Amino acid sequence: MNHVAISVKGLKKSFKDKEVLKGVDFEVRSGEIFALLGSNGAGKTTTVNILSTLMKPDNGEASICGFDVTRQSDSVRQSISLTGQFAAIDGMLTGRENLILVAKLRGVPKPIQVADQLLAKFSLTEAADRRADQYSGGMKRRLDIAMSLIGKPAVIFLDEPTTGLDPEARLEVWNTVKELAGSGTTILLTTQYLEEAEQLADRIAILHGGTIITTGTLAELKEKFPPAKVEYIEKQPTLEEIFLAIIGKKEEK
Ligand SMILES: Nc1ncnc2c1ncn2[C@@H]1O[C@H](COP(=O)(O)OP(=O)(O)OP(=O)(O)O)[C@@H](O)[C@H]1O
Ligand SMILES: [Mg+2]
C-alpha cells in the first residue's frame, strides 16, 4: 500500500527557550508499523502529542489521513486513537466497564457487545468484572490498547506501549500490535527499546537532537551502518531468552 497515513514536515516545538523538535520530517504509509526510536527526553511524546492534536507545533506541518493536525483537528481526532505513555484506565471501574464507557463516549452502536468482543480478543474475559486497578501491568496495557481500538480508528499511536512490562507481557503486546497491523491499521509507536523496533517495525526512524537522523527498514539501517569488522563469537542466549525458557513461554507465531 502506498497511501500516506501520516505526513510530518519540518515540525518544530520549543518549551520556553528549550528547542525540543528542530525540524522533524517523516512519512508513514497506510498499514505500516512505524517505530519512532529515541532516548529519554528525545521528543517522542511531544511528537505524538502534536500528531494527536493535544499540542500545537510552533512551526511545520503534519497531517493524518490527509487532514491537517492544526486546521482540521476534528477530522484528525476521528481518524486516530492514542494510547498514552501512562495508562488511561479508570482503576475504580472493571475492565468491562472501562470498555463500555469508552464505547458510549465514542457513540459506537452496541457498546456491551463491542466490550465483550474486545475482552475476548485481549484474553481479559476472565478478569472482565474485576476492578482494573487490580490488574497486572500487562493486563492494564492490553485493556488500554483494547480501549484504543473502539470505533476502529485508521491510525493508532502507541506511546511506549511496553515500558515497565515484563518480557512475557511484552510479547503479548507485540503480538497484539502485529495482529492489528495485519488487519490494515496504521501504527506509530514510540520506544526506547532497540529490540522492540527490531521485532515490530516495518520502518524505523531515530529521533535524536531534535531531528530524525535516519529512517529506514531494519535491513536498510543495517546496510547504512555496516559492522566495522566481522567477529566470530559463540552465541550466548540473552537473559531474556533464558528468562522465557525458565518460565516456559515461547514466542508465539
Ligand atoms: N509541557 C512541557 N513543558 C516543558 N517542557 C516539556 C514539556 N513536555 C516535554 N518537555 C520537555 O521536552 C523534552 C522532550 O520530552 P518528551 O516527553 O517529548 O520526550 P520523550 O522522548 O517522550 O521521553 P521519554 O522517553 O522519557 O518519554 C524533555 O526535555 C521534556 O522535559
Ligand atoms: Mg515519552
Side-chain angles (χ1 to χ4, degrees):
M1 276 186 276
N2 287 318
H3 261 104
V4 175
I6 304 173
S7 164
V8 179
K9 283 183 201 141
L11 214 58
K12 290 190 182 176
K13 181 76 187 176
S14 298
F15 296 107
K16 298 204 177 108
D17 52 355
K18 188 170 185 208
E19 199 177 20
V20 174
L21 304 180
K22 300 180 182 172
V24 167
D25 302 279
F26 62 87
E27 255 182 21
V28 181
R29 289 171 216 131
S30 177
E32 204 171 38
I33 303 182
F34 189 86
L36 196 57
L37 193 63
S39 13
N40 283 133
K44 303 182 295 295
T45 299
T46 303
T47 305
V48 167
N49 284 347
I50 292 171
L51 295 181
S52 55
T53 77
L54 294 178
M55 205 180 256
K56 291 216 181 313
D58 298 335
N59 227 312
E61 282 180 16
S63 65
I64 311 288
C65 303
F67 300 116
D68 186 275
V69 292
T70 41
R71 288 188 300 274
Q72 297 167 293
S73 51
D74 282 344
S75 305
V76 169
R77 268 178 238 132
Q78 280 166 24
S79 316
I80 64 164
S81 85
L82 166 65
T83 300
Q85 188 163 1
F86 304 101
I89 295 163
D90 186 338
M92 301 287 280
L93 302 180
T94 67
R96 176 177 279 121
E97 287 165 347
N98 268 288
L99 286 164
I100 292 174
L101 177 69
V102 174
K104 285 186 174 164
L105 286 174
R106 299 228 173 123
V108 168
K110 300 192 183 154
I112 294 170
Q113 234 167 292
V114 168
D116 282 339
Q117 281 164 4
L118 285 168
L119 288 164
K121 184 172 161 65
F122 287 87
S123 316
L124 289 168
T125 305
E126 245 172 76
D129 297 315
R130 265 168 40 210
R131 270 173 56 160
D133 57 6
Q134 293 165 12
Y135 286 10
S136 71
M139 290 161 81
K140 280 185 188 151
R141 267 291 158 195
R142 267 156 36 217
L143 178 59
D144 213 10
I145 295 175
M147 282 157 64
S148 76
L149 298 188
I150 293 170
K152 298 202 170 64
V155 176
I156 294 186
F157 295 105
L158 300 171
D159 195 5
E160 301 203 21
T162 66
T163 298
L165 296 188
D166 64 36
E168 204 181 344
R170 174 165 300 158
L171 286 183
E172 286 172 19
V173 170
W174 286 356
N175 287 333
T176 307
V177 172
K178 284 180 192 164
E179 239 181 80
L180 275 179
S183 64
T185 309
T186 305
I187 297 171
L188 185 149
L189 64 93
T190 75
T191 184
Q192 359 177 346
Y193 301 119
L194 303 158
E195 201 207 339
E196 180 152 289
E198 200 165 342
Q199 285 284 331
L200 277 185
D202 297 310
R203 284 190 314 128
I204 298 162
I206 300 177
L207 179 60
H208 186 76
T211 60
I212 301 291
I213 53 171
T214 188
T215 317
T217 62
L218 184 62
E220 283 164 0
L221 295 188
K222 282 184 174 163
E223 220 166 87
K224 274 192 207 168
F225 304 98
K229 61 175 183 186
V230 179
E231 276 185 67
Y232 297 94
I233 49 165
E234 192 179 294
K235 190 180 181 299
Q236 299 287 338
T238 63
L239 184 57
E240 178 161 330
E241 282 163 354
I242 295 168
F243 177 88
L244 292 169
I246 293 170
I247 65 166
K249 262 264 168 175
K250 286 196 297 288
E251 187 173 358
E252 292 155 18
K253 284 169 207 165

